[in-house]
Amino acid sequence: MAPDGSTARTGAARGHIVVVGAGLSGLAAALHLAGRGCRVTIVERESFPGGRNGILERDGFRFDTGPVVFTMVPLLEEAFRAVGRSVSDYVTLQLLDPAYHAFFADGSRLLVRPGYEKMREVIEAESGAKDARAFDDFVVWLRRLNDVELPHFIDANFNSPLGLFRSPRAVAELLRLGGFKRLGPEVARRFSDERLHRVFTFQSMYAGLAPDQALALYAVITYMDSIEGVWFPEGGMHAVPAAMARAAQDAGVEIRYEVTVDQVSRVPGGAVSGVVLESGERLAADAVVVTADLPVAYERFLPGLTPPRVARRGQYSPSALVWHLGVKGELPEATGHHNIHFGKEWSQAFTDLMKTGIPMRDPSRYVAVPSVNAPAVAPEGAHTLYALEPVPNLHVGRLEWNREGPRLRDRMLTFLDSFGYPTDIVTEELVTPADWQAQGMAAGTPFALAHTLMQSGPFRPRNVDRRVPGLIFAGSGTTPGVGIPMVLISGKLAAQRVQEMRR
């Protein structure tokens, strides 16, 4: 019996699976595989789990170095349920209300509150009855998009683009809903208050696209955080991979930390036979799940094997300048956990970022203050700040980051000070696109391939390579894409690929 009480399929139960990387996708894959009766070994080069969802401790401050917005808890619950556990057995999650504090160039502020009723109250009070009524229809549209997309196009493996037509009714419904129109205009035509246009479309940046460029079907990301809500794990974001790692170990998964993979080993016919570690040790495996960024995975682990064309020549998402600060002092009164400061410019700022390849001249910025809900991450009388500004990736921009980084850091300091954030800096860490590249992220972006139409769904690099049977990919560079919900699903889809292989 599997830990969840179900009967594990015999073929998979006999297999040994090696997962390269203890990030969220690797941990999700391990949990789903363990639930199917597989023997699983995770090898992780760091001394802790999390991958991009890592942690930095310095001078009494603790920083989450990866994603800072957590949504769609049921997807995390599904991974724990695979081994007969529950999220609440390992970590406590708090629903943030407000989810975001949105600040605008005219000095106004909007609170983005979780759920339909609370957000409708905000819109009626701030934007008027007409936009509140528009929100009624907007929520129905978002939910319908989510209900169609999630099972048919997100939580699904594709073997070829023809897979798009295995659910013709779903495709027809997406067309009827206007999913293939542009997100920005679709939102703009619904609401009169221009602030709502920004609040309900900035999420397209998670998909690596400007709102006017993104397909309307990516409003599903808006649904995930603006309707379903944003959550925060007790102790910080790193508590999630730490909890997943403990659940995996309790289910029998072996996790080997501070172990670096040199390459994926193959038999003469090309099929996977295991991995070779930098120490020279060989781990035999029936299948290997690799979670590194796709182009980097081929370069490091599969020398001589050409990556898929889209991974080599595709359009990558913008990058981010991230500044971690440990500061002394009090926060301004209006500060929340998640704060978005919109610049005056909107379309021009995206042109700077994605076409011209220069820093936004009038940037919108995001500031997280985790110490608002997790006081233990900073000493008494101090706070942790996570300040992010979108910047060009290394394919679009030709910037010298050893010079540009400090310049933008100083510009960011001026911005923080102007909004009243404490700027008595005790410790800091600045992360530029050059640093992301050094960490193994293609094009110097932590957001992988952008979700253009031809890089999404069945057109995104698949999580298997027919030239190497037994090799499976997981993570943001493959199916279904970028963001915590997507990489959790990618781990489950990788486990399904292993199951298919063993039939």
Side-chain angles (χ1 to χ4, degrees):
M1 299 287 285
D4 64 357
S6 62
T7 303
R9 296 182 183 179
T10 307
R14 290 197 297 265
H16 176 222
I17 316 302
V18 170
V19 177
V20 181
L24 295 178
S25 64
L27 291 165
L31 287 167
H32 285 285
L33 287 166
R36 287 171 162 82
C38 296
R39 182 166 69 91
V40 184
T41 301
I42 301 176
V43 287
E44 168 57 51
R45 66 182 178 183
E46 301 293 345
S47 60
F48 50 81
R52 297 182 191 185
N53 197 164
I55 191 167
L56 172 67
E57 297 187 74
R58 184 181 293 168
D59 301 321
F61 294 86
R62 188 164 72 245
F63 303 97
D64 287 309
T65 60
V68 289
V69 177
F70 191 88
T71 64
M72 298 298 285
V73 173
L75 296 176
L76 180 65
E77 192 68 65
E78 189 176 13
F80 279 83
R81 194 167 60 246
V83 292
R85 271 75 172 181
S86 173
V87 171
S88 61
D89 296 335
Y90 294 87
V91 63
T92 299
L93 299 174
Q94 173 189 354
L95 178 65
L96 298 183
D97 185 9
Y100 299 101
H101 293 241
F103 300 87
F104 300 89
D106 63 2
S108 65
R109 177 178 67 133
L110 277 178
L111 301 181
V112 179
R113 302 192 64 192
Y116 159 68
E117 293 180 357
K118 291 180 179 180
M119 192 62 213
R120 193 187 194 283
E121 290 176 5
V122 170
I123 293 173
E124 185 159 23
E126 296 288 341
S127 308
K130 180 182 177 183
D131 276 352
R133 290 192 297 271
F135 185 67
D136 296 337
D137 293 334
F138 183 62
V139 171
V140 172
W141 182 63
L142 291 178
R143 284 179 173 152
R144 186 57 189 152
L145 278 175
N146 179 76
D147 291 347
V148 174
E149 287 181 57
L150 188 61
H152 296 290
F153 304 108
I154 296 175
D155 192 0
N157 279 315
F158 291 94
N159 292 319
S160 80
L162 294 176
L164 185 65
F165 301 103
R166 69 188 174 198
S167 305
R169 289 185 180 178
V171 174
E173 181 67 359
L174 278 185
L175 286 168
R176 187 189 70 79
L177 291 168
F180 296 98
K181 296 179 180 179
R182 299 298 168 180
L183 177 62
E186 278 297 294
V187 172
R189 74 176 181 82
R190 295 169 183 270
F191 298 102
S192 299
D193 189 339
E194 196 270 341
R195 296 176 301 172
L196 296 177
H197 304 172
R198 299 192 183 193
V199 162
F200 293 136
T201 64
F202 80 87
Q203 297 87 351
S204 69
M205 286 294 294
Y206 300 158
L209 299 167
D212 287 347
Q213 179 188 8
L215 295 176
L217 55 85
Y218 291 119
V220 69
I221 309 176
T222 303
Y223 173 80
M224 289 177 180
D225 69 1
S226 295
I227 306 302
E228 288 294 311
V230 173
W231 299 76
F232 184 69
E234 185 177 282
M237 290 292 290
H238 186 70
V240 169
M244 295 177 76
R246 291 196 303 274
Q249 289 172 314
D250 289 348
V253 173
E254 179 186 10
I255 305 180
R256 297 181 59 177
Y257 293 109
E258 298 183 276
V259 173
T260 301
V261 172
D262 180 60
Q263 66 179 34
V264 173
S265 57
R266 291 175 281 164
V267 299
V272 157
S273 61
V275 298
V276 180
L277 308 182
E278 281 192 350
S279 65
E281 181 183 356
R282 294 177 178 269
L283 298 180
D286 297 273
V288 175
V289 178
V290 174
T291 66
D293 213 7
L294 215 59
V296 177
Y298 277 91
E299 179 183 344
R300 290 187 179 177
F301 306 136
L302 298 156
L305 198 64
T306 305
R309 185 180 184 279
V310 66
R312 289 180 283 119
R313 302 182 183 179
Q315 177 183 331
Y316 277 80
S317 301
S319 187
L321 184 82
V322 173
W323 193 17
H324 303 285
L325 299 97
V327 295
K328 291 189 293 185
E330 297 300 317
L331 296 169
E333 187 176 347
T335 305
H337 187 123
H338 297 296
N339 306 276
I340 303 173
H341 296 265
F342 290 103
K344 184 177 181 180
E345 294 293 336
W346 193 235
S347 296
Q348 180 60 50
F350 289 110
T351 299
D352 290 344
L353 180 66
M354 298 178 177
K355 295 182 179 179
T356 312
I358 62 173
M360 291 176 165
R361 284 167 283 186
D362 181 21
S364 295
R365 298 182 176 99
Y366 164 80
V367 181
V369 190
S371 47
V372 167
N373 288 296
V377 302
E380 187 175 353
H383 289 280
T384 57
L385 304 182
Y386 173 108
L388 180 151
E389 179 179 324
V391 295
N393 66 43
L394 297 180
H395 287 180
V396 177
R398 295 292 183 268
L399 302 171
E400 295 292 336
W401 282 105
N402 58 344
R403 292 198 300 267
E404 196 67 21
R407 186 187 76 82
L408 293 183
R409 178 256 187 215
D410 291 344
R411 188 174 78 162
M412 188 92 78
L413 179 62
T414 300
F415 151 75
L416 291 172
D417 187 62
S418 71
F419 276 91
Y421 289 101
T423 54
D424 184 358
I425 300 172
V426 177
T427 190
E428 62 179 296
E429 179 82 6
L430 186 71
V431 186
T432 73
D435 297 313
W436 296 124
Q437 183 182 52
Q439 292 177 36
M441 300 177 201
T445 174
F447 305 116
L449 286 164
H451 282 265
T452 62
L453 175 61
M454 299 308 294
Q455 294 179 175
S456 300
F459 303 106
R460 200 163 182 84
R462 290 191 288 279
N463 54 4
V464 290
D465 189 320
R466 293 177 181 174
R467 297 169 296 177
V468 190
L471 172 67
I472 297 128
F473 296 105
S476 58
T478 185
T479 303
V482 180
I484 290 179
M486 303 302 181
V487 298
L488 290 174
I489 291 173
S490 82
K492 182 177 77 169
L493 295 179
Q496 290 177 2
R497 288 295 197 187
V498 173
Q499 192 73 57
E500 292 169 7
M501 184 189 81
R502 303 296 299 173
R503 286 174 183 163

